[in-house]
Amino acid sequence: MGTDATTPTPPGPPGPPGAPGGGGRGAVLSDGEAMGLALEEAAAAGGHGDVPVGAVALLGGRVIAARHNERERQGDPTAHAELLTIADAAAVVGSWRLSEVTLVVTLEPCPMCAGGLVACRLGRLVFGAADPKAGACGSLYNLCADPRLNHEVPVTAGVRAAEASRQLSAFFSDRRRVGSGPGRRP
């Protein structure tokens, strides 16, 4: 899901009324189920040498977009999972204002991405692992809750954090073991 860098992920058909979430595009997903999809996206990033961060955008609890980091793949420093996903979500919604959208991401957004979430008037953010070195949604900075900005984004932190942390740790451990890889200086 979300591996095509140019085409937004279209919404799937709605599931039956009252159907429990089950990970399908038409199902209404819980935060944990949506994080499972984001973790799958993150794994795809690691497959092409990008830091494994994945994101899923939900509208009414249903997936409308899903992407993963593509900085190495695209050679673009702004190709973070969050920014790619909100751009795709805006295309699906037909507006840059995403006040009804929830973004679920495996790692706490950096300042650039948190700024994008504020700028698009995101309805809600859910993230897995905290990022004490660059997290801008509570760890190092808190751009999503800064009353001086024109929008505040409600944040739910720590959803499936252990899984997201393990995925990131395994990626960086492998990278150190192999030596310099894409994006690393020798």
Side-chain angles (χ1 to χ4, degrees):
M1 183 170 25
T3 56
D4 183 344
T6 59
T7 307
T9 304
R25 286 189 185 217
V28 174
L29 303 178
S30 68
D31 290 351
E33 291 165 334
M35 186 62 74
L37 296 177
L39 288 163
E40 290 175 18
E41 281 291 326
H48 53 74
D50 275 286
V51 175
V53 177
V56 175
L58 306 173
L59 182 61
R62 291 181 170 84
V63 175
I64 60 168
R67 297 290 290 272
H68 54 268
N69 274 357
E70 295 189 15
R71 291 183 308 170
E72 299 298 335
R73 177 186 247 176
Q74 293 186 25
D76 179 353
T78 69
H80 287 209
E82 301 94 324
L83 297 182
L84 296 170
T85 304
I86 62 173
D88 289 353
V92 171
V93 170
S95 173
W96 62 268
R97 289 180 182 87
L98 300 179
S99 59
E100 301 300 316
V101 172
T102 295
L103 183 72
V104 179
V105 63
T106 58
L107 180 65
E108 179 180 1
C110 70
M112 176 180 67
C113 293
L117 304 182
V118 170
C120 77
R121 315 299 196 268
L122 188 72
R124 181 170 168 252
L125 169 67
V126 175
F127 72 83
D131 186 352
K133 292 183 179 179
C137 299
S139 290
L140 187 58
Y141 304 105
N142 201 350
L143 294 177
C144 289
D146 190 328
R148 297 170 295 180
L149 299 175
N150 61 348
H151 179 72
E152 291 184 40
V153 179
V155 176
T156 301
V159 175
R160 296 177 71 170
E163 292 170 76
S165 292
R166 278 192 302 272
Q167 191 176 46
L168 287 158
S169 293
F171 173 80
F172 286 112
S173 176
D174 288 346
R175 210 162 171 183
R176 282 188 297 275
R177 188 173 54 250
V178 172
S180 72
R184 280 193 56 156
R185 292 180 177 205

